[in-house]
Amino acid sequence: MTITYLSFTEVAERLGVKTGALATYKLPEPDARISRTRGWLPDTIDQWNANRPGRGVGGGRPRKHAE
């Protein structure tokens, strides 16, 4: 049985983002590595994506209060 891994480009497609944006993400450790090429199992990416913080985590800048 052949195991199929997702490439960096395929991970970006699966998440619906561009590769440039994906480069800023802290991805999980790859499940496989061939030379410099990384590969992730689809389940690894799906679990990571389901558990990563959502947009706006950290609170951002404090709001100005009306005086």
Side-chain angles (χ1 to χ4, degrees):
M1 183 171 137
T2 302
I3 299 172
T4 303
Y5 295 94
L6 300 172
S7 68
F8 189 80
T9 303
E10 292 169 324
V11 169
E13 289 172 3
R14 189 175 192 91
L15 298 177
V17 299
K18 296 187 184 238
T19 55
L22 186 62
T24 66
Y25 291 14
K26 174 120 175 67
L27 292 172
E29 287 295 315
D31 296 303
R33 201 180 274 275
I34 299 173
S35 186
R36 291 177 28 195
T37 303
R38 300 172 291 171
W40 294 268
L41 292 170
D43 285 345
T44 299
I45 294 302
D46 292 343
Q47 288 176 6
W48 170 82
N49 191 43
N51 294 314
R52 71 188 180 101
R55 191 174 197 176
V57 169
R61 231 187 247 192
R63 293 183 180 213
K64 292 184 179 180
H65 296 289
E67 293 179 25

